[in-house]
Amino acid sequence: MRILWTLPYLPWPTTSGGKTRQYHLLRSLAARGHRITLLVQAKTDVDQATRNALEPFLEQLIVLPRRPLRSLKTLMAVVAAPYPMLASINGLAPQLERYFDQLLTTRWDVVQIEHSYAFEPYEAALRRHGQPFLLTEHNIESALGAASYDRFPAWLKPFTAYDQWRYRRWEKRVFAQATQLVAVTEADAEQMQTLFQRQASVVVNGVDCPHYATVQPAFDSQRLLFIGNYEYSPNLDAVEWAMEAIMPKVWALNPDVRLAVCGFGLPAQWRERWPDPRVDFQGFVPDLRALQEQTAVFFAPLRQGGGSKLKVLEAMAAGLPVVTTGQGVSGLAVTNGQHYLGSETADGLAHLLADAVRDPAGLQTLSDAARRYVRGHHDWAVAAAQLEHVYSRLLQPMEDTSVCA
């Protein structure tokens, strides 16, 4: 199939769950014979390393610049436009609109739009050309108020409530136009049905299981690991909760436990805020496998967010036992005590961690069960096959039309 795929960010380097999903789905679909043109509006320039990573499996890579976040046009739109803040930041892009409109003058088997907040520049052209399209929504954005707005000052609360209302209205508008709608979890699909009366297919988040197959965690190391993209508020909250409320309790029970905190956009001030030598703030690590082999437990104290967490899937694929909250395993068909250890309180998580690192045999049992689960349900080959099934339904109306003609 010829696929036109649109993104509001470059999927390389894979510094976030969203980028990781895009990169692996694109690569997996290309390996299955699909010819993909990727149209990106990016806030950063495309460098040669990114081209080298993406172009081998793309028919064409088109990258257009996004205007600066603090441009006057963006600031005015955020306040006054009918679109929600994220849609204003990523929309109102005449160059992108024109380029997309020109691309639609040729025939595509599939047009795939990622994220409702990136939809505005494509809306008019899709209508004008009568082009069926697939929309993938990674989260129910209007339901992520706490994650999106909790770091805004209190005096902006009226605006954040207004913006959530705008986003709910925007979702209804965008979802109604999509020929096929894709969610990343069953829970999100059910919410789309409840809130918007739209049926959504599920294309799961995945993991490159062969990449992590040889990792052998150090179950006797008493070392914990957390990774995240710290441009995303739920990951900031997770580390702050861990350092302020959980790790002091862990150390009271077992002072030998160590924690490594890794990921893109790690705040520089954290090293000064929490100077404990038992915490290693490493920043972005391109290949986690060496670090995973030094680690006993993946610790994900997530209280906010949506979808399913690729960081948790990667840990499970690497055989790292996971200690987390219900939010950390949202969207996964896993059982507490069998595939992971979970609690919703700081005390509960602290005791789970302190006990787990003293039980290497128990960690091995968790590791084996979680690894089997992700291999069977979340390899990227599974997700690619699910997406191809959605493509077949997207094509059905066009095939029916051609037969009638």
Side-chain angles (χ1 to χ4, degrees):
M1 295 182 188
R2 291 191 71 234
I3 301 171
L4 174 58
W5 190 302
T6 74
L7 273 177
Y9 47 76
L10 284 161
W12 186 268
T14 54
T15 54
S16 69
K19 291 183 176 186
T20 300
R21 176 184 173 93
Q22 301 300 326
Y23 173 79
H24 284 286
L25 280 178
L26 287 163
R27 190 181 66 166
S28 297
L29 289 165
R32 296 162 86 98
H34 299 287
R35 298 159 54 200
I36 305 170
T37 291
L38 179 61
L39 174 63
V40 179
Q41 182 180 230
K43 65 180 181 180
T44 56
D45 294 333
V46 56
D47 57 22
Q48 193 57 49
T50 300
R51 290 194 178 278
N52 291 344
L54 299 177
E55 287 181 337
F57 55 80
L58 297 175
E59 190 167 79
Q60 188 177 10
L61 172 63
I62 305 165
V63 182
L64 302 178
R66 194 188 80 186
R67 66 180 177 276
L69 181 63
R70 291 181 173 83
S71 71
L72 179 60
K73 183 175 183 178
T74 296
L75 294 173
M76 291 179 65
V78 164
V79 174
Y83 318 115
M85 178 173 61
L86 278 175
S88 295
I89 290 169
N90 291 279
L92 305 171
Q95 183 185 15
L96 179 59
E97 291 177 29
R98 290 192 297 270
Y99 214 112
F100 183 70
D101 186 73
Q102 182 61 36
L103 286 169
L104 290 189
T105 60
T106 63
R107 186 183 183 281
W108 301 93
D109 297 305
V110 173
V111 173
Q112 182 160 337
I113 312 294
E114 297 287 310
H115 304 285
S116 64
Y117 64 73
F119 180 71
E120 190 276 334
Y122 311 121
E123 183 175 29
L126 288 166
R127 286 180 172 175
R128 186 161 49 250
H129 291 271
Q131 174 68 54
F133 69 96
L134 176 157
L135 174 78
T136 302
E137 191 71 321
H138 296 220
N139 300 294
I140 308 297
E141 297 290 347
S142 63
L144 286 179
S148 302
Y149 303 124
D150 68 335
R151 294 180 181 271
F152 280 44
W155 61 270
L156 278 176
K157 293 296 184 184
F159 169 77
T160 60
Y162 168 60
D163 199 57
Q164 276 189 276
W165 173 80
R166 284 194 299 186
Y167 213 116
R168 180 60 55 85
R169 189 174 63 168
W170 179 247
E171 285 167 333
K172 184 176 182 179
R173 170 174 164 174
V174 175
F175 293 173
Q177 296 178 62
T179 315
Q180 293 290 328
L181 190 59
V182 169
V184 302
T185 69
E186 292 289 351
D188 282 357
E190 291 171 6
Q191 198 169 11
M192 289 175 182
Q193 179 66 50
T194 300
L195 294 174
F196 308 106
Q197 293 73 56
R198 278 303 312 266
Q199 184 175 358
S201 303
V202 174
V203 176
V204 297
N205 278 331
V207 62
D208 186 354
C209 290
H211 181 76
Y212 295 103
T214 61
V215 174
Q216 296 297 323
F219 296 133
D220 59 353
S221 67
Q222 301 196 83
R223 292 177 61 89
L224 315 178
L225 171 65
F226 177 74
I227 62 169
N229 182 321
Y230 302 104
E231 293 181 336
Y232 186 48
S233 179
N235 291 325
L236 295 172
D237 176 77
V239 173
E240 290 172 351
W241 189 37
M243 295 306 302
E244 295 292 340
I246 302 171
M247 291 309 298
K249 298 177 188 296
V250 173
W251 288 322
L253 297 166
N254 184 344
D256 295 326
V257 174
R258 302 290 190 269
L259 171 65
V261 179
C262 305
F264 181 79
L266 192 145
Q269 65 269 25
W270 278 358
R271 293 181 176 89
E272 297 179 3
R273 182 176 175 184
W274 298 298
D276 194 302
R278 292 170 292 190
V279 182
D280 183 11
F281 293 107
Q282 293 197 24
F284 178 59
V285 179
D287 189 341
L288 289 166
R289 288 174 294 182
L291 187 58
Q292 289 167 334
E293 290 202 323
Q294 303 167 18
T295 301
V297 170
F298 186 78
F299 177 38
L302 293 157
R303 297 188 290 186
Q304 303 169 346
S308 58
K309 314 303 184 290
L310 279 90
K311 61 175 72 69
V312 171
L313 291 172
E314 288 175 346
M316 289 179 169
L320 271 179
V322 174
V323 175
T324 187
T325 59
Q327 181 59 243
V329 291
S330 65
L332 307 183
V334 290
T335 302
N336 192 356
Q338 178 183 351
H339 302 100
Y340 75 101
L341 300 175
S343 176
E344 303 306 311
T345 68
D347 279 341
L349 289 167
H351 279 88
L352 285 174
L353 289 167
D355 292 342
V357 297
R358 293 192 179 103
D359 183 14
L363 292 179
Q364 181 70 66
T365 300
L366 283 171
S367 167
D368 293 343
R371 235 173 185 162
R372 285 193 298 270
Y373 167 74
V374 295
R375 285 171 180 165
H377 297 86
H378 288 278
D379 189 87
W380 285 117
V382 174
Q386 291 173 334
L387 189 51
E388 285 181 321
H389 186 62
V390 180
Y391 290 166
S392 68
R393 292 204 300 275
L394 181 69
L395 287 169
Q396 191 63 47
M398 290 188 283
E399 291 171 356
D400 290 346
T401 300
S402 64
V403 169
C404 292

